Amino acid sequence: MMAKIALVTGANQGLGYAMVARLCQELPAGSTVYLAARDPARGEAAVARLREEGLQPTLAQLDVTDDASVQALAETVARRHGGIDIVLSNAAARIVKVLPQAAQVRTLIDTNNHGTYRMIRAFVPLLRDGGRFLVVASAFGSLRKLDPRLHHLFDPATRSLEDIERVMEEYAELVERGEAEAHHWPAWINIPSKIAQVASMKVAARQRKDEAARRGLLIAAVCPGLVDTEASRPWFDDMSSAQSPMDAAKDVLWICTQPAGSPDPYGELEQHRQIIPWM
């Protein structure tokens, strides 16, 4: 098998770290797996831990909230390798119960949504034949979680990536003013963020559909399910059914290891190898 080039964002801890570990273990010899982290010191520490286990990830400094940072890494990957095989857009902002949602929404949207947009724009064009671009999202990323009066804002058939960016900017402003629920938005800011992530993926998949079919590309979103991480624990009273990050990573990466020509969830949100309906 030919060596692969892979990139995982938000990878210095939790699920991202586990996905880097599994990719290092499972990809063919000679592959390069980039562990991308916003904080260089934390990234270096994560790489050092994996190297103690005999794995050889490559550190990449990446801040998905910074246009220049995303573009610089894309240019580096293109210069070094000529393209990329696997991109796992996993970076996410952590939200906490002790702060008002209005104080957290801007960072959440800039990381989860604008960050997804930046990654799509910079890295989907770099996909090699057979390449995979996966957005790590959530089962909350379905229009079934949203008031029907807002569904048109996320219509993948008619909306552009930039349209969804504008919707999320307007949404963040409503939350900051305390007016979001009056405009039919859910009370929890994580739900609109996840819906918009999946919508952006669906728009990108629609825009590349013909090319993807011709070149064997996969653009999709994946929900890992409940994972036992520091980000998840504050939100769930019972973690007894939660997966370890390594177990969750195995399930997520199953999509990346399917041979060319296999049925895949192109343009869909997948969880535990099943498609979660959009509507």
Side-chain angles (χ1 to χ4, degrees), residues 133-147:
F133 185 101
L134 299 181
V135 177
V136 180
S138 162
F140 291 119
S142 167
L143 287 185
R144 296 181 176 194
K145 305 293 185 181
L146 194 65
D147 189 300

Side-chain angles (χ1 to χ4, degrees), residues 10-92:
N12 60 276
Q13 62 183 340
L15 178 62
Y17 179 88
M19 291 192 293
V20 169
R22 284 203 173 272
L23 285 168
C24 287
Q25 293 166 350
E26 297 174 10
L27 290 182
S31 295
T32 299
V33 180
Y34 285 99
L35 183 156
R38 182 179 60 180
D39 184 318
R42 291 181 180 179
E44 289 171 2
V47 167
R49 291 195 303 272
L50 289 169
R51 287 181 176 169
E52 288 173 359
E53 299 175 16
L55 305 176
Q56 295 297 321
T58 299
L59 178 63
Q61 196 280 326
L62 176 66
D63 181 354
V64 299
T65 69
D66 183 344
D67 290 340
S69 178
V70 175
Q71 191 58 41
L73 181 56
E75 290 172 1
T76 296
V77 169
R79 183 175 65 254
R80 289 178 180 174
H81 310 289
I84 196 162
D85 299 290
I86 298 169
V87 180
L88 298 170
S89 184
N90 171 71

Side-chain angles (χ1 to χ4, degrees), residues 67 70-71 74-75 117-126 133:
D67 290 340
V70 175
Q71 191 58 41
E75 290 172 1
Y117 170 77
R118 294 181 184 101
M119 290 296 296
I120 288 171
R121 291 294 301 270
F123 283 94
V124 167
L126 295 184
F133 185 101

Side-chain angles (χ1 to χ4, degrees), residues 7 28 54 72 86-87 102 115 118 125 132 137-138 160 172 178 191 213 232 255 270:
L7 166 67
I86 298 169
V87 180
R118 294 181 184 101
R132 271 82 178 103
S138 162
S160 67
I191 293 175
S232 298
I255 302 177
E270 181 262 0

Side-chain angles (χ1 to χ4, degrees), residues 138-216:
S138 162
F140 291 119
S142 167
L143 287 185
R144 296 181 176 194
K145 305 293 185 181
L146 194 65
D147 189 300
R149 288 170 288 190
L150 300 175
H151 285 190
H152 68 283
L153 298 174
F154 301 103
D155 180 8
T158 60
R159 293 281 165 166
S160 67
L161 292 170
E162 290 73 23
D163 289 335
I164 294 170
E165 289 288 281
R166 284 190 290 272
V167 167
M168 296 314 290
E169 275 294 303
E170 293 166 3
Y171 168 70
E173 292 173 5
L174 288 173
V175 174
E176 289 173 333
R177 296 200 303 264
E179 300 174 6
E181 289 184 68
H183 287 76
H184 317 300
W185 291 98
W188 191 27
I189 58 176
N190 196 42
I191 293 175
S193 177
K194 296 304 182 185
I195 290 169
Q197 272 190 306
V198 175
S200 291
M201 175 281 296
K202 285 181 168 291
V203 170
R206 186 251 302 165
Q207 292 174 338
R208 298 268 178 172
K209 186 175 182 180
D210 291 343
E211 177 191 2
R214 188 173 67 252
R215 299 179 53 219

Side-chain angles (χ1 to χ4, degrees), residues 93-101 104 188-189 230-231 234-235:
R94 186 180 300 182
I95 53 177
V96 296
K97 289 184 175 182
V98 296
L99 292 176
Q101 293 191 90
Q104 303 180 76
W188 191 27
I189 58 176
E230 290 183 12
W235 296 96

